[in-house]
Structure formats: C-alpha cells, structure tokens
Amino acid sequence: MKKVELLAPAGGPEQFKAAVNAGADAVYLGGSLFNARIGAGNFTLEEMKEALDYGHLRGVKTYVTMNTLMDDKDLSQALKYASRLYEMGVDALIIQDFGLGKVIRDNLAGFEIHLSTQATVYSPEGVKAAQKLGYSRTVLSRECSLDDIRACAKAGEVEIFIHGALCICYSGQCQLSRFIGGRSGNKGMCAQPCRLPYLYRDVNGRIMEGSNPLSPKDLCMIDRLDDLIEAGAASFKIEGRMKSPEYVATVVSIYRKYIDEYYRNGSYTVSGEDRRSLLQAFNRDGFSEGYLFGDPASGLMTSGVSKNTGVYVGRTVKNSGRSIFAEASLEEEVRMHDVIEIRSGSSVTSFKVTSLKKSPSGTVLLGDLKDPVSKDAAIYRLISVDLMDKAAGIISEPKKMPVDFFLMARPEEPLRLVARDPVNGVSFSLDDPEIIVQPAQKKGLTEDDIKKQLAKTGDTAYYLNETKMILEEDVFLPVSALNSVRRQVLKGLEEAVTASYERSEVRGAACYSGFENGDFIPHDTVFETENNSIILPQVTRGSYDKFLENSFSILVSRAKESDSSIVINNIAWIGPFMEAGVRGGPGLNITNDASVEALMELGMSSEFVMSPELLDRNQMNGIPLMISEHRFTPGILTDRKGAKYSVEYDETSRKSYIFPVI
C-alpha cells in the first residue's frame, strides 16, 4: 500500500518552512494571482522559488493554487503565470476553473493538475470525469462520507480534508459573500459571512438557538486516520492558509506522528496531550468529524462562537471590581504571557497575562485586566506560551535528508569526492586539481578521520548517511582541504537537485487566443430553460444520485421523446446523459468559453447556463446563495443590517438552501 501523503497549508514563507520541518510530504500555497485565499500572505515568484527549492531538497512537493473562476480575459494572464510556475518546477496546480484546466492541458502538457474541491466532486463518476479532463487528482467535497471516499478512491486518486475550517456551503457553490458585499469566494475574496451573527426564526416566528447559526465547528479527523487510509485516499489535506507558522507546525507534527504510528504498528492511540494541543492551536467550540458518517446534526455547529474558542482552564471566584486582577480557580496551569479570555454571557475580555500570583488559599490572581469581570465567569486560554515554544522548536529545526559520499584518495592525484542524494537520485562529484593527495610524512588519514569531517554538513539540507571510500595507506590531506571539498560538493549537490525539478522555457504558450464557440446566453435568461427541459439540482449527492441511477433510462427516454435536454450541474452526470442532450447548468460555474470547450469533451452540448458569478445582485432572486448538506430548520435569517434570507430544506435532494429575500 502506497503511504498516504500529508499535505499542509502555507500562507507565507514562514508557514512553508514550518510545514516542511514538521513533517509534511507536500505543501500547497498561493501566489499573488488567481488563488482562493487572496487574503493570506501568499508568495511572490521569488519567494515561491525559494520555497520550492527548500522543499525539493527535503523531498517535499509544492502545489500552487490557481483555484479561482476566470473570465475569458483572465486566461491569457493565467497561462503566462502558469508557464512561469511550470518552468520553476512547481509539482502541480490546484484548479477550479474547467477552462483554465483545458488551457493548461493544451499548452503545458507536462504540468500535473489537480481538480479543486470547489469543482464539487463527490462521486466515482465525478472522479472519472475529472480524469477525462486531464486531472490526475480530485479534491473531494468536504461533505463526502467514508463510504463516498472509499468509492471515489477506487475510481481514481483523491484528496480529502482532515483538519481545519469547514464551509457550511458546498465549496464552489456559495454566493453569499458576493451577494452581501461583492466579495466572491470563487474569486478568492470570501468575507466569511457564515461566521457572522444572524437572528434565526423558524417559519412560525420562533427564535432559534445560537447567534451564529451558519458557523460549523472545525474539522478534526485525528481519530479516523486508520479508516481514511484504509478507504484509499491518496492525500490528507490540512486546511489553514490563513493560519500562523505555529499553528501549521503543531497540527502537521501531530498528524505526522499518528500517520507514521499507524503504518508502523497497524494501529495508534492519540494522547491526551496531543488532543489538547490540537484544541489549543485553534478550535471553534471544539471539533467535529464533519460528514464522515452523515450529517451530525447539532454536533456540526458551534454554539454561538465563530472564532477561536481556546481551551477551558477554570473560572473566576469573585467579581474583580476595580482590581486589575482576576481571582481564579484553575483546572490547568496558566503561564506568564499566555493569552486568556474571560467570558460571562455576552461579556468578554481578553488579555495577555503580565502578572501572575498564587494566593495561600490556592486561587490565582491573573492580570492585568482590561475590563472588570464577574464571579463564576469561564476562563479560556487562547494562546499557550508552552505550545508556542514547542512549535518554535519544530520550526527552527530544519528537516534534513540523507547524503551518501564516495571518496577516493590516492597519492599525487586530485582528491575525488562524490555526493549522492538517494531520495532525489541526484549526484554531484568534484575532482579539484588544486587539492592533491600527498604521501603521509607521519600519521596517514584514516577512515574515521574522513567520516568525522564529512559528517559536518552544517546548515545544508543533509546529514551523513553512508560513506564509501578508496583510501590508500599513508596518504595525507589537510583537514581544511577536506572541509573545502565537502562544502563545494554539498553546494553543488543542492544546486543539482533543485535544477533537476526545473523545466525548459515554454515557447508559444504565453498567450491564450480563445476558442471559437457561441457567446454566453444573456443574463436575463440565465435560469430560464425551455418548458420541456429536465433540470437537475445543483448538488445531487446522496439520495438524488440514487434516484438518477434508478430512473436513468426513464429520464433519457423522456428527453428523447420530447426532443428536450437535461440541465446538468455536475461533471459526474454529463457523460451518462450525453445521448439525451446535455445543457450545462449553473453549478458547473461556466465563466469563459474555454470551460465550454472542456465540458463539451465530456458530452455537454454547446448550450449552457452561465455561472451565477456573472449576475448582478438584483438578478439573484430565486438563485441559491448557499447549498448545504446540513439539515437546517426552514425559516428566516436576518443579518446585522436587517437584510433577510430564506432558509429552505428540500426533501427530494435532502439539501438545505439559502435564498435572498429581495
């Protein structure tokens, strides 16, 4: 069984090094263009090349996200940017836009592409369709169950999320941020309106519990690694390109530990300390296992906290009054410079502990308070100095790879030293004519002498693994000369390894010329189709997919007899329904002609409904802003500005929908 890949996030260079040093097998990151986390620090091309080299020297792959939707005018610039990434040695691109995928495939045939979770793939048929479009890997929707993952993995290489933030909407199908403030999640600018407070009333006007009804807990699969490995997932992805280096180091190192333990022993047991560390690193009202075993109902959602909850450590024992100290009874030790938050109802105060005193009665005085606190208020630690120090130790200890040396020392001949990187399969040798081996006047060089100097690999990416040598008796070489050759050879080896990933300059692929296809249909008919069309839901995962399988022949016959078409919203069903005539639906997020060309390869006709991304706000009436696998109670959401949204549940597709009330 091939070992699963541990894929870590990096929002900047420090996070990248943290991921590599903590044990990631691959890192995903975004540049300054076309990535869905434009708010992260991200990488310039120069920083990206440095990161690539740092990772490749240590056996770690780098995937770059170009996972936004694109207009026709974007594709030429995107191709030029992708060409540069291809040349510098990026291992793969993560792509949402089917048009960009086609442009990359047609112009950069050797560039590996992965289909983003924003393409909303959740079935084996979807994975197979992605493969037909040239994607070597499919990142599955977070809504997939363990059975879904198992079935999809049999169809092709799949990547799944194992830790981090969950979207309440199917990724790629969310329009809420764009509708509210013009910041499209599909363009990398999501304002996370799902984390904001809403007043939620059911259809009878009763107020529902919770001030943040759209905010799910973060995902944590630390107890399910064995199930997921056995299910056949190729890559385990940690979410978090907006997170700190310390977060990345903590989470990656813990998952690395238990993945390795499982492969080593066939089982593993998560320690209480590691569970606590994951919570302390970041959590929203605890964790959930997402939809791994179906919708966990209330267990999926936070109870009103949409930011980092921290870890509960104790309670206050009295009102602070005018004191700058909070007197507390602690269940866990709090350290100087920890950041804590004291909560009592709607009252919240956060501060760094700059004063800490223990009283004879066993309580602790924590200061300095910013605001008064009441008796019996809950105390949470948001940032732990101990955890930060531990993470800093991981970050500061660069990962090293093995290097094998071969040395030949013969009298009156140049010293020959060969270094080989056994992981990358690259070698570099040096015969320096200025360093001549001399006959020994006294004691000659020994193998131990040589190994001692070769082991001094310093700040290179290597540690000494094996040494072979041809060493004639009674030969001599100054230690300084041996060290000089070692430094030159290791530098040469590093340059040879990083160069081995680079690709030749791409010629004739810097400009996208467009396709000769029909123009998009007008905005005012975006969701209108002929009366005899059969329109499938935007998301069919689950019961509706089963319905389509059982009713397939009937639907095809009906479409043929009535000379109609079927509006398909997911790549999984384009091929199967091709003979009935397929129109592309809004769920495919078609925003450029190249996407039409790509999807026609699967069997879609040249007719399509363009993405809601291209609609103005006043054209969104009746168009879902969110589609969720979570079952919400039908009702009305009211945001902080008084805008209202209708929450509906469809029993046929078993999906919740949120619509604007315009």
Side-chain angles (χ1 to χ4, degrees), residues 596-643:
V596 181
E597 286 277 332
L599 297 173
M600 286 175 67
E601 294 178 14
L602 294 179
M604 187 184 83
S605 72
S606 60
E607 296 181 345
F608 61 93
V609 179
M610 66 185 182
S611 170
E613 287 288 317
L614 302 175
L615 296 178
D616 295 330
R617 190 178 188 277
N618 59 9
Q619 296 173 303
M620 296 292 288
N621 191 32
I623 296 174
L625 302 180
M626 279 190 170
I627 304 170
S628 180
E629 190 68 23
H630 182 62
R631 181 163 190 159
F632 284 101
T633 300
I636 296 292
L637 293 170
T638 305
D639 69 17
R640 297 173 300 170
K641 297 182 179 180

Side-chain angles (χ1 to χ4, degrees), residues 247-277:
Y247 173 90
V248 173
T250 299
V251 176
V252 171
S253 63
I254 290 173
Y255 276 93
R256 175 81 279 156
K257 173 181 177 180
Y258 292 111
I259 290 171
D260 290 348
E261 187 174 323
Y262 173 77
Y263 279 104
R264 188 168 53 248
N265 303 324
S267 63
Y268 66 98
T269 302
V270 182
S271 72
E273 179 184 358
D274 287 334
R275 291 185 192 281
R276 205 71 169 166
S277 293

Side-chain angles (χ1 to χ4, degrees), residues 299-316:
L300 183 74
M301 310 303 289
T302 66
S303 59
V305 179
S306 61
K307 62 182 184 65
N308 184 20
T309 306
V311 172
Y312 175 81
V313 294
R315 307 192 79 84
T316 58

Side-chain angles (χ1 to χ4, degrees), residues 311-350:
V311 172
Y312 175 81
V313 294
R315 307 192 79 84
T316 58
V317 297
K318 67 178 184 179
N319 296 333
S320 63
R322 295 185 178 180
S323 173
I324 62 170
F325 295 103
E327 187 171 353
S329 173
L330 298 180
E331 297 180 11
E332 285 196 17
E333 184 180 4
V334 171
R335 295 273 308 277
M336 284 286 286
H337 307 302
D338 283 353
V339 175
I340 64 172
E341 187 167 89
I342 301 178
R343 304 172 192 151
S344 179
S346 61
S347 176
V348 176
T349 182
S350 305

Side-chain angles (χ1 to χ4, degrees), residues 25-268:
D25 298 305
V27 182
Y28 67 102
L29 54 87
S32 57
L33 299 171
F34 307 116
N35 93 80
R37 286 291 181 270
I38 207 68
N42 295 317
F43 291 72
T44 65
L45 286 175
E46 292 75 16
E47 289 171 336
M48 199 177 293
K49 184 64 171 81
E50 290 178 7
L52 275 172
D53 291 348
Y54 188 88
H56 284 156
L57 283 170
R58 293 161 176 82
V60 174
K61 293 181 177 180
T62 298
Y63 308 142
V64 174
T65 57
M66 291 185 69
N67 55 342
T68 59
L69 293 179
M70 300 187 188
D71 301 330
D72 276 316
K73 60 182 174 57
D74 296 325
L75 289 174
S76 184
Q77 184 184 14
L79 177 57
K80 186 179 294 186
Y81 186 68
S83 298
R84 184 69 188 92
L85 301 180
Y86 175 79
E87 291 163 5
M88 69 168 59
V90 168
D91 294 281
L93 294 179
I94 303 173
I95 292 171
Q96 172 188 11
D97 191 286
F98 295 114
L100 177 62
K102 178 169 177 55
V103 170
I104 298 296
R105 188 187 67 189
D106 289 349
N107 291 275
L108 303 169
F111 212 166
E112 184 175 325
I113 54 176
H114 299 170
L115 187 58
S116 169
T117 188
Q118 291 162 282
T120 324
V121 174
Y122 41 73
S123 67
E125 293 76 17
V127 174
K128 292 174 184 176
Q131 290 176 323
K132 289 180 181 177
L133 293 175
Y135 297 93
S136 61
R137 175 186 294 180
T138 303
V139 188
L140 297 180
S141 293
R142 292 173 176 87
E143 290 79 4
C144 285
S145 68
L146 184 61
D147 288 340
D148 291 333
I149 294 167
R150 187 178 293 112
C152 289
K154 290 178 180 177
E157 183 175 303
V158 298
E159 177 178 302
I160 61 170
F161 286 87
I162 59 166
H163 197 92
L166 277 173
C167 295
I168 194 60
C169 178
Y170 272 86
S171 188
Q173 304 300 321
C174 186
Q175 292 291 316
L176 187 59
S177 178
R178 191 181 73 85
F179 179 81
I180 292 175
R183 295 177 57 180
S184 168
N186 284 320
K187 293 284 190 176
M189 298 179 287
C190 181
Q192 295 189 313
C194 54
R195 303 298 181 189
L196 297 177
Y198 295 85
L199 176 64
Y200 186 11
R201 295 180 184 271
D202 67 14
V203 292
N204 296 312
R206 292 173 299 197
I207 296 177
M208 305 292 289
E209 291 185 9
S211 59
N212 298 78
L214 300 181
S215 179
K217 297 176 181 179
D218 277 15
L219 185 68
C220 179
M221 297 290 197
I222 194 65
D223 292 311
R224 301 297 178 184
L225 300 177
D226 47 358
D227 292 330
L228 296 171
I229 289 170
E230 293 300 323
S235 180
F236 287 172
K237 188 173 199 170
I238 296 168
E239 191 278 337
R241 282 197 286 142
M242 305 290 284
K243 296 294 198 299
S244 69
E246 291 80 12
Y247 173 90
V248 173
T250 299
V251 176
V252 171
S253 63
I254 290 173
Y255 276 93
R256 175 81 279 156
K257 173 181 177 180
Y258 292 111
I259 290 171
D260 290 348
E261 187 174 323
Y262 173 77
Y263 279 104
R264 188 168 53 248
N265 303 324
S267 63
Y268 66 98

Side-chain angles (χ1 to χ4, degrees), residues 565-606:
S565 58
I566 298 179
V567 179
I568 301 290
N569 287 286
N570 192 279
I571 59 172
W573 286 109
I574 294 176
F577 279 107
M578 178 172 54
E579 62 175 300
V582 170
R583 290 183 64 183
L588 293 170
N589 275 323
I590 299 173
T591 58
N592 55 67
D593 284 329
S595 290
V596 181
E597 286 277 332
L599 297 173
M600 286 175 67
E601 294 178 14
L602 294 179
M604 187 184 83
S605 72
S606 60

